[in-house]
Amino acid sequence: MTVAAKRKLLRGQGGSASESVFDRELVDLPQELRWREWMGRIEAELFASASPVGREDLTRVVGEGASVEMLIDDIQAELVGRPYELAEVSGGWMFRTKTQFAEAIKAAANLGDQSLAFTEMEMGVLCAIAYHQPIDWAGLKDIFGKEVSRDLLARLRFKELIASGPRAPRPGAPHTFVTTPEFLATFDLQSLRDLPDLDLGVGDKNVDA
Amino acid sequence: MTFQPAALSDDLKTLPKLPGWVTSTRAETLETVAFRSGAALTVLDGLVSDPKHGVPVKLFANHLALKAATATSKLEGRLAREADIRDAYYLTPPGEARGPDGDLLAFWREAAQMRMSSREWQAELRGLVGPDAVAEADNSLTATVAHAKAHGPLAGCVSAMRAVLEVDDRGERIACLLSDVVLARALNWTTVLPVSGLRLTKGMLRDLVADGQGAELKVQQRLLESVEDTIRQARDLSSKSVALKAVAPKLRAKGSDAAVALFLSEGTVAPPLMLSPMIRGTTIPMTDRAARRFCDRLVELGVARELTGRPTFRLYGIAS
């Protein structure tokens, strides 16, 4: 990511932009200030990133023994009254505006028809993949009773909502489609289990019997 | 050409097994479960801790990981079959998304690879169960290890599960994993063996959180049964790996030692991804054709099986 690369350069003060120059521990600072600085770094890292940032990446900017979770808790505590929040999304964290402001943002920025507007068919295919993954092109054809356009799948892939999964054990070893972490983030799901239950007649009843 | 089928040695007679009184009737009270689990866990501990029994521990852990993934898929309501999970994991080219079923197996395999002997295991656990469960994990682990000391390991397992599920009723896989961790800690194992989830149902876990009548007893009984199953599987894997090792010198294919080692550590081998163009984990080359012939030969010799029943995209393993 370019932002990360730029930050690394700045950190390295010109010439040697190596990781080792970066002072994670901040031993010279008193405990209080050090914690502040770490909070600031995590906030900055999340702010600069467009996608959720995982624990690993956050650990890299704070001291060896510091708990990322506790730092995040402290940042969250400070954000209570703000219109945006630090949310945990599919194994990482990201900043996002609170949902209650969705209308305001739409009204102001005219985002209505932007990147994530779906046609009905796109939504249908995405749902089918979410519930039946990993599923290949032929499997989708079985579900919809007609061929699913490869352009449509390419669009979903371009939006990073789906990705290539395991090879289907069929002639030609076609790729299957699976949903991505971005899919979960986009629809505000913690995991695939948050998908609404489908009543397929194979649910709880059989399992518990 | 005829081959002498590999004789499964009479190891099954010499390997430790459960005394009849443990399995003859069902344990009806918490005390009897605790008592019998003592016997069962001693046998299991002997099998996995003492190298002289020849249980291939890594293979055993990976094998149990697949079983655990199948069981947790059921607990989580996804209902993927063992074959689905195996396909998803082993047919994904490196670097591509595995999808939820493959990810579930990856989760359990990573769990089985935690080094409980090193100090970093807690960090590894954190990386695995995610930041959310960390606090609960830490609290419950200290409490449950104490509980396990007083009431037996299975009681500790149950209280670990309960601690997770009370906070997050969808944390089934984490609950099972922490229960396995408690077991490994109680028995001082160096690896976590995924045992806990094998026979549990959603209803049992729900009752456990709701403090239903006899819920704890039911879960402990199932845990005991899982341990008993696990003992049988350990004995089975031990004799199969002995058989494979016995025919290994007869295999003259280039790289056959490395390929045999792969069979002895992985539950499943996908020839085109894991044997060719290079044997995984080594720099020894093997062509597609050689890999296929090698696997066919193992099957002919009776020391491996084709697991899928498909004519293409075959997967081989020494265990079923």
Side-chain angles (χ1 to χ4, degrees):
Chain A
M1 181 183 293
T2 51
V3 182
K6 222 180 273 173
R7 265 184 295 145
K8 245 177 229 167
L9 275 178
L10 288 177
R11 248 187 248 147
Q13 291 168 353
S16 61
S18 73
E19 287 272 353
S20 59
V21 180
F22 182 64
D23 180 11
R24 291 171 57 187
E25 295 295 339
L26 301 170
V27 274
D28 302 336
L29 291 181
Q31 177 60 29
E32 181 102 353
L33 283 178
R34 201 194 317 174
W35 194 258
R36 272 274 132 213
E37 175 67 19
W38 284 339
M39 278 169 66
R41 286 180 181 181
I42 289 197
E43 217 174 318
E45 191 176 347
L46 292 176
F47 183 72
S49 166
S51 52
V53 183
R55 192 169 185 287
E56 287 278 290
D57 290 325
L58 293 179
T59 335
R60 254 176 246 146
V61 297
V62 299
E64 201 65 64
S67 155
V68 171
E69 285 78 28
M70 284 170 70
L71 286 161
I72 287 201
D73 282 347
D74 285 358
I75 298 170
Q76 276 168 337
E78 290 190 349
L79 295 180
V80 168
R82 312 300 306 164
Y84 50 89
E85 60 189 356
L86 204 177
E88 196 190 335
V89 179
S90 59
W93 288 276
M94 70 185 294
F95 276 120
R96 63 179 180 200
T97 46
K98 290 182 178 165
T99 34
Q100 69 197 85
F101 298 104
E103 293 303 321
I105 296 169
K106 267 188 222 158
N110 194 19
L111 292 173
D113 300 327
Q114 264 193 8
S115 58
L116 285 173
F118 295 105
T119 67
E120 213 167 293
M121 188 60 187
E122 282 173 340
M123 206 59 189
V125 171
L126 193 55
C127 274
I129 293 172
Y131 282 100
H132 294 282
Q133 60 185 309
I135 184 170
D136 66 354
W137 192 65
L140 287 172
K141 188 179 160 193
D142 288 345
I143 290 178
F144 289 96
K146 61 175 184 187
E147 293 189 346
V148 174
S149 120
R150 297 197 188 254
D151 283 351
L152 186 155
L153 289 165
R155 281 202 298 279
L156 292 179
R157 193 192 287 264
F158 181 73
K159 290 175 184 171
E160 295 191 2
L161 297 168
I162 61 171
S164 290
R167 298 302 186 87
R170 307 193 192 201
H175 276 292
T176 57
F177 303 102
V178 295
T179 55
T180 60
E182 282 76 13
F183 166 79
L184 296 178
T186 305
F187 291 93
D188 194 19
L189 305 170
Q190 277 293 324
S191 76
L192 289 171
R193 296 193 66 188
D194 293 334
L195 288 171
D197 278 334
L198 290 187
D199 195 5
L200 296 173
V202 288
D204 267 7
K205 282 162 269 166
N206 294 345
V207 177
D208 286 350
Chain B
M1 212 185 324
T2 54
F3 294 101
Q4 191 74 32
L8 288 185
S9 58
D10 42 8
D11 284 334
L12 282 178
K13 293 192 196 100
T14 58
L15 286 173
K17 67 174 174 190
L18 273 179
W21 55 264
V22 174
T23 46
S24 58
T25 55
R26 187 155 193 175
E28 298 295 350
T29 64
L30 282 173
E31 286 75 21
T32 35
V33 175
F35 183 60
R36 291 181 185 193
S37 71
L41 288 171
T42 307
V43 174
L44 183 58
D45 181 47
L47 280 169
V48 297
S49 304
D50 192 340
K52 83 165 186 245
H53 297 310
V55 177
V57 176
K58 190 152 183 250
L59 169 66
F60 185 42
N62 282 339
H63 172 77
L64 288 175
L66 178 60
K67 304 272 174 208
T70 315
T72 23
S73 182
K74 205 164 151 192
L75 289 176
E76 293 182 352
R78 236 189 99 75
L79 305 175
R81 295 164 309 155
E82 188 173 298
D84 300 330
I85 294 173
R86 192 164 44 207
D87 280 352
Y89 184 86
Y90 286 98
L91 298 181
T92 307
E96 306 232 315
R98 280 182 294 247
D101 300 336
D103 283 344
L104 184 55
L105 179 51
F107 170 86
W108 280 110
R109 283 171 60 96
E110 267 176 56
Q113 273 157 24
M114 290 199 302
R115 289 152 302 163
M116 297 296 286
S117 50
S118 87
R119 290 197 166 274
E120 281 117 60
W121 72 270
Q122 271 157 320
E124 288 180 44
L125 183 64
R126 237 166 247 143
L128 199 56
V129 302
D132 243 7
V134 173
E136 291 102 66
D138 275 355
N139 292 337
S140 62
L141 278 184
T142 352
T144 47
V145 169
H147 194 65
K149 278 201 182 114
H151 301 273
L154 295 193
C157 292
V158 173
S159 78
M161 282 192 219
R162 190 185 276 139
V164 175
L165 294 169
E166 271 169 0
V167 182
D168 175 9
D169 64 350
R170 291 176 157 196
E172 293 95 348
R173 69 171 86 167
I174 296 174
C176 292
L177 171 59
L178 287 189
S179 162
D180 293 330
V181 168
V182 169
L183 196 62
R185 300 262 292 158
L187 293 166
N188 215 3
W189 285 341
T190 50
T191 36
V192 172
L193 294 178
V195 173
S196 303
L198 301 182
R199 283 177 170 243
L200 297 177
T201 65
K202 258 175 159 173
M204 281 176 196
L205 295 183
R206 223 169 14 229
D207 287 352
L208 192 63
V209 180
D211 270 328
Q213 194 91 51
E216 164 139 16
L217 175 61
K218 219 174 225 164
V219 173
Q220 284 205 30
Q221 281 171 336
R222 290 302 177 99
L223 287 177
L224 175 57
E225 287 169 22
S226 306
V227 172
E228 292 169 12
D229 279 354
T230 310
I231 291 171
R232 278 187 280 276
Q233 288 167 24
R235 288 160 51 82
D236 181 50
L237 284 184
S238 166
S239 68
K240 282 179 173 160
S241 73
V242 168
L244 176 56
K245 280 182 201 151
V247 303
K250 287 194 225 168
L251 303 164
R252 287 180 309 272
K254 193 159 161 265
S256 63
D257 286 349
V260 165
L262 198 60
F263 269 88
L264 286 173
S265 66
E266 282 286 334
T268 303
V269 173
L273 282 174
M274 295 163 75
L275 291 178
S276 65
M278 219 177 277
I279 298 173
R280 184 168 290 182
T282 70
T283 51
I284 304 168
M286 198 178 226
T287 62
D288 261 350
R289 193 178 150 75
R292 237 186 354 254
R293 284 169 55 97
F294 178 80
C295 292
D296 284 344
R297 177 118 164 95
L298 289 187
V299 174
E300 262 170 23
L301 290 167
V303 292
R305 275 184 349 102
E306 201 286 314
L307 303 170
T308 66
R310 282 190 298 250
T312 52
F313 303 96
R314 296 172 151 216
L315 299 171
Y316 295 85
I318 69 172
S320 53

